[in-house]
Amino acid sequence: MILELDCGNSLIKWRVVNADNKVASSGVVHSDSELVQVLLESPSLSLTSCRLVSVRSEEETDELIEQLNSQLGLVCLQAKPAETLLGVANGYEDYKRLGMDRWLAVLGGFKLAGDKACLVLDLGTAITADFIDADGQHRGGFICPGIPLMRRELQTHTRRIRYDPQFEGASGHPLPGRTTAQAVEGGCVYMLRGFVRTQHELAIELLGSDVAIFLTGGDAELVKDVIPGSRIVPDLIFVGLAFACPVGSI
């Protein structure tokens, strides 16, 4: 079984896949020690190897890799920036500056699309949009605040906007708000949906009408109806990670 890790600054998303690439277990932890403890308490997973992507510092990433090796006997393969990989060309002027999460989502989206033009939208704390043409050339993308950041900015910089978002939340088609909380939550959803709609229009303009659309991230469900035929892939980064770090290369 293969351990796959997406190491963010504050959280580590993990999953274990078997030889058929079926997910056997998954979760989210807050620290290296918590991850190791969870895995040690799950001997049935029978881990044989590990691949990971990290946005942490090199020192922090190396420390995690060392713990996995010393305590679990795992050899880890880490995804690295690349100018080109498996027919996909990084579109940034300095390819090393493109976030690894975006690069793997670009790679995963293009491969899932069957090597054809695609738009990848990651709808999380921040929103990213990436355009890949039919030749595998990453044409660049956009970054803007997601709903959590929009909400936080309004609450931070507007004195009269105070509410607990834990008890609110909007659907994909909210009605005009009759409370401040409803107005903020609904407004953020429509900002999100409007951005997605314009990205789809731009993708058709840049890439042609035969473009595959992939949605990932926590708020993907709120916009799935904005682009008919779009596909939600919750673990798109892990899809790209599998292509970037095949087990046979460990």
Side-chain angles (χ1 to χ4, degrees), residues 216-230:
T216 192
D219 287 325
E221 288 286 342
L222 292 176
V223 301
K224 64 182 180 181
D225 64 312
V226 174
I227 309 176
S230 58

Side-chain angles (χ1 to χ4, degrees), residues 127-165:
I127 301 169
T128 59
D130 286 287
F131 301 77
I132 308 96
D133 66 25
D135 294 324
Q137 176 63 55
H138 174 229
R139 302 279 288 274
F142 297 99
I143 304 172
C144 69
I147 286 180
L149 289 179
M150 287 190 278
R151 178 194 294 135
R152 189 180 309 157
E153 285 300 297
L154 284 170
Q155 291 183 314
T156 300
H157 298 290
T158 308
R159 290 185 179 181
R160 291 184 179 274
I161 294 182
R162 294 289 184 272
Y163 70 97
D164 189 343

Side-chain angles (χ1 to χ4, degrees), residues 16 21 39-40 45 55-56 67 78 140 185 187 204 225 238-239 248:
V16 175
N21 206 38
L39 296 175
L40 285 173
L45 294 178
V55 298
R56 297 174 166 192
Q67 285 193 52
Q78 181 181 355
E185 293 297 312
I204 292 174
D225 64 312
F238 283 134
V239 173

Side-chain angles (χ1 to χ4, degrees), residues 15 32 37 40 53 58-59 116 124 127 134 154-155 231:
R15 73 177 193 177
D32 298 359
Q37 186 63 32
L40 285 173
V53 57
E58 186 174 341
E59 293 76 13
K116 78 172 194 177
I127 301 169
L154 284 170
Q155 291 183 314
R231 178 179 171 186

